[in-house]
Amino acid sequence: VGDLLQTISVATQQAVEEAQGQVDGVDADRAARHAALAAAQDALPTLQAAVAARQDIEAAAKATLSEANGKAAVATEAESSGKFSYDEAAAQVAELLAALEALAALKGASADSSKEGKAQHKQLAHVSHKYALDTTLVEAVLKVLRKEPDALQSFDVVSLGIFEESLSKLLKDFEERLQLHKAPQAEKAAAARAATEAAEAAEGACGESEAAVKAAKEAERDGAQAIKAAQKHVGKWLHDTKVVMDGFDAKKQALESFRERPLKLFDELKELQPEPEPVEEVETEMPPAADAALVPAVAEGDAPASAAA
């Protein structure tokens, strides 16, 4: 019981000492809470400035994106219009080449001799009308092309020659036009690609700036919340200190009560405990001298009859 009471006393004393340490640290705790509040308040302007700076970067990025999109639209439109002119000239060159091939084929066979010949004859009529060739010449040539090659007269051959020269001249003009469009069109295509890439890069930068603004605002919100939490922590100091001191008083009182009652009563009980009685010593009697003759026999292992009984 005494050991148990001593153990309880030591544990209670340790609890009191720990509570005393907490009481001794209340001033330092108050200073730490105010320091944390001051640090949070000092950090907020920096966070707000970071938000403003990133918003300026975002605004500049959006302006750059708008300008880049405008340039890309203009360059793409220029490429499209130039491409139309280039493609149109290329189509005209291809059409005139096909007409010359059809004319060469019809020189060797009448247009009426085959389905393909009739299609070629119709093709030459369409090209002649489209490019406004001499009407009299075209009518004469279309009639000549319906004749068999061996039935052609000198005028027919001359008419075919003039018609072929007209088509060849048109072809040369459109080929020159195509060459004139080729270099500018390549430049317009390159400009359109560059403008599109610049717009894509500006869009990426704009996205990055938006993300940076979002992160800065989140940091600003966290900073404001840190101030509120620090202010609340400072406001709770008095309450927390009371809890610490009340706990210390309670533990100190418990220790004093324990010492005044259980330990004191135990000490009083120990004083009332009676002293142990003295132990009486028992003397061993030696055997009579008359029986001394029996001792050697006992030592040798021959027990007397009375002992055996």
Side-chain angles (χ1 to χ4, degrees), residues 232-292:
K232 185 177 180 181
H233 200 46
V234 169
K236 287 182 62 181
W237 177 83
L238 191 61
H239 172 269
D240 294 343
T241 301
K242 183 178 185 303
V243 171
V244 169
M245 291 186 172
D246 289 348
F248 169 73
D249 292 340
K251 292 175 181 178
K252 186 177 179 181
Q253 182 62 40
L255 178 60
E256 293 176 355
S257 298
F258 183 75
R259 288 175 175 175
E260 287 295 326
R261 294 188 61 80
L263 286 182
K264 187 175 182 180
L265 289 175
F266 181 72
D267 291 339
E268 291 176 356
L269 288 174
K270 286 196 301 181
E271 293 177 357
L272 296 175
Q273 181 180 2
E275 295 182 0
E277 297 180 359
V279 179
E280 296 182 359
E281 295 181 359
V282 180
E283 295 183 358
T284 305
E285 297 182 357
M286 295 297 294
D291 296 335

Side-chain angles (χ1 to χ4, degrees), residues 91-284:
Q92 291 168 336
V93 168
E95 188 176 36
L96 290 171
L97 283 172
L100 286 170
E101 291 176 357
L103 178 61
L106 292 178
K107 284 182 178 181
S110 171
D112 295 333
S113 63
S114 65
K115 185 177 180 180
E116 183 181 2
K118 292 178 180 179
Q120 291 170 336
H121 188 272
K122 186 176 181 180
Q123 178 185 1
L124 289 172
H126 169 73
V127 169
S128 300
H129 176 72
K130 180 178 179 179
Y131 294 101
L133 296 180
D134 183 80
T135 306
T136 304
L137 175 63
V138 171
E139 290 178 355
V141 168
L142 292 178
K143 291 180 180 179
V144 169
L145 293 176
R146 292 182 180 276
K147 297 180 180 180
E148 293 295 337
D150 55 0
L152 296 180
Q153 298 179 359
S154 299
F155 179 75
D156 296 336
V157 175
V158 172
S159 299
L160 288 175
I162 295 173
F163 183 71
E164 185 174 4
E165 288 178 0
S166 299
L167 290 178
S168 298
K169 185 177 182 303
L170 279 174
L171 176 60
K172 183 179 179 181
D173 292 342
F174 283 112
E175 283 178 340
E176 290 176 353
R177 187 182 302 178
L178 183 63
Q179 289 300 318
L180 290 175
H181 283 295
K182 189 173 183 179
Q185 182 59 27
E187 293 177 358
K188 291 178 181 178
R193 284 194 301 272
T196 301
E197 290 174 358
E200 291 174 352
E203 185 175 2
C206 191
E208 292 176 359
S209 64
E210 289 176 356
V213 169
K214 182 179 178 181
K217 287 183 177 180
E218 290 176 355
E220 181 187 15
R221 283 196 298 269
D222 292 343
Q225 291 176 356
I227 291 176
K228 291 181 180 179
Q231 288 173 338
K232 185 177 180 181
H233 200 46
V234 169
K236 287 182 62 181
W237 177 83
L238 191 61
H239 172 269
D240 294 343
T241 301
K242 183 178 185 303
V243 171
V244 169
M245 291 186 172
D246 289 348
F248 169 73
D249 292 340
K251 292 175 181 178
K252 186 177 179 181
Q253 182 62 40
L255 178 60
E256 293 176 355
S257 298
F258 183 75
R259 288 175 175 175
E260 287 295 326
R261 294 188 61 80
L263 286 182
K264 187 175 182 180
L265 289 175
F266 181 72
D267 291 339
E268 291 176 356
L269 288 174
K270 286 196 301 181
E271 293 177 357
L272 296 175
Q273 181 180 2
E275 295 182 0
E277 297 180 359
V279 179
E280 296 182 359
E281 295 181 359
V282 180
E283 295 183 358
T284 305

Side-chain angles (χ1 to χ4, degrees), residues 39-54 216 219-220 223 227:
Q41 290 172 335
D42 291 342
L44 185 59
T46 302
L47 297 174
Q48 292 171 337
V51 171
R54 282 165 174 75
E220 181 187 15
I227 291 176

